[in-house]
């Protein structure tokens, strides 16, 4: 759940007697990542922070609805036949690529949507590994060579890096 398990009268309380919210940056990165999971659920509403967080939440709820949920539903319809997980490790599509086995901070939804969340506090960039193939970033950039390492790839606080495999 976005924001953790926050319950009225059972959440951490600060010296002022008010509930303590998770760090703002952590909350934003949390909701961005959750948009790429099969379901989004908030335990702390975005309006507990500020209007910018509300706008980011609306943006990612919309992305979940238009990009992620249809893909998850499509994959869920196939899982009984294939046994393939919906959320997959990178090596799933690159099983002869030793580097793909070492990547533990990126994942796939199906075989053609790769997500690379920012996991470090204060960072607005991250290293990204693209397995062999043609990839298009959420920014519209095309990467036709591969495998490729993108070093210090910029990812603003209101973004999460994701790439689609271009057939």
């Amino acid at each position: 759940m976005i924001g953790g398990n926050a319950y009225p009268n059972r959440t951490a309380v600060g010296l002022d007697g008010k509930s303590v919210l998770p760090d703002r940056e952590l909350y934003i990165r949390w909701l961005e990542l959750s948009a790429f999971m099969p379901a989004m659920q908030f335990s702390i509403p975005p309006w507990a922070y500020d209007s910018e967080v509300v706008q980011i939440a609306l943006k990612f709820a919309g992305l979940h609805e238009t990009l992620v949920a249809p893909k998850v539903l499509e994959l869920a319809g196939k899982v009984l036949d294939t046994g393939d997980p919906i959320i997959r490790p990178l090596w799933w599509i690159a099983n002869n690529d030793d580097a793909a086995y070492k990547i533990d901070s990126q994942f796939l939804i199906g075989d053609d949507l790769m997500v690379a969340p920012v996991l470090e506090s204060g960072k607005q960039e991250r290293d990204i590994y693209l397995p062999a193939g043609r990839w298009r970033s959420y920014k519209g950039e095309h990467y036709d060579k591969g495998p490729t390492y993108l070093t210090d790839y910029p990812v603003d606080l209101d973004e999460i890096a994701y790439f689609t495999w271009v057939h």
Side-chain angles (χ1 to χ4, degrees), residues 54-117:
V54 171
Q55 290 306 309
I56 293 169
L58 289 170
K59 172 183 171 180
F60 280 92
L63 187 65
H64 178 82
E65 181 180 6
T66 59
L67 176 67
V68 179
K71 182 133 199 79
V72 167
L73 290 171
E74 173 193 338
L75 294 165
K78 297 176 182 177
V79 74
L80 290 177
D81 294 329
T82 66
D84 294 345
I86 293 170
I87 307 295
R88 303 170 184 175
L90 210 54
W91 53 259
W92 195 267
I93 61 166
N95 54 20
N96 292 323
D97 181 347
D98 290 342
Y101 283 90
K102 297 175 184 173
I103 304 298
D104 62 1
S105 64
Q106 297 172 215
F107 63 92
L108 298 162
I109 302 171
D111 289 341
D112 56 7
L113 178 58
M114 184 186 64
V115 184

Side-chain angles (χ1 to χ4, degrees), residues 8-79:
N9 303 320
R10 294 187 184 180
T11 322
V13 177
L15 295 176
D16 59 2
K18 295 183 179 180
S19 293
V20 178
L21 295 174
D23 174 77
R24 182 178 183 274
E25 178 191 6
L26 172 63
Y27 182 85
I28 291 169
R29 294 296 189 192
W30 200 336
L31 80 86
E32 291 168 352
L33 177 57
S34 294
F36 288 88
M37 295 290 121
M40 290 182 76
Q41 180 179 355
F42 292 86
S43 69
I44 296 173
W47 53 86
Y49 291 87
D50 55 52
S51 61
E52 182 184 19
V53 175
V54 171
Q55 290 306 309
I56 293 169
L58 289 170
K59 172 183 171 180
F60 280 92
L63 187 65
H64 178 82
E65 181 180 6
T66 59
L67 176 67
V68 179
K71 182 133 199 79
V72 167
L73 290 171
E74 173 193 338
L75 294 165
K78 297 176 182 177
V79 74

Side-chain angles (χ1 to χ4, degrees), residues 25-26 29-30 32-33 104-107 115-127 155 159-160:
E25 178 191 6
L26 172 63
R29 294 296 189 192
W30 200 336
E32 291 168 352
L33 177 57
D104 62 1
S105 64
Q106 297 172 215
F107 63 92
V115 184
V118 172
L119 301 175
E120 294 181 53
S121 178
K123 295 285 188 174
Q124 293 208 11
E125 71 278 329
R126 67 155 292 155
D127 295 344
V155 186
E159 300 176 327
I160 189 171

Side-chain angles (χ1 to χ4, degrees), residues 97-100 102-103 106 127-130 146-151:
D97 181 347
D98 290 342
K102 297 175 184 173
I103 304 298
Q106 297 172 215
D127 295 344
I128 297 172
Y129 182 71
L130 299 175
T148 302
Y149 281 101
L150 305 176
T151 305

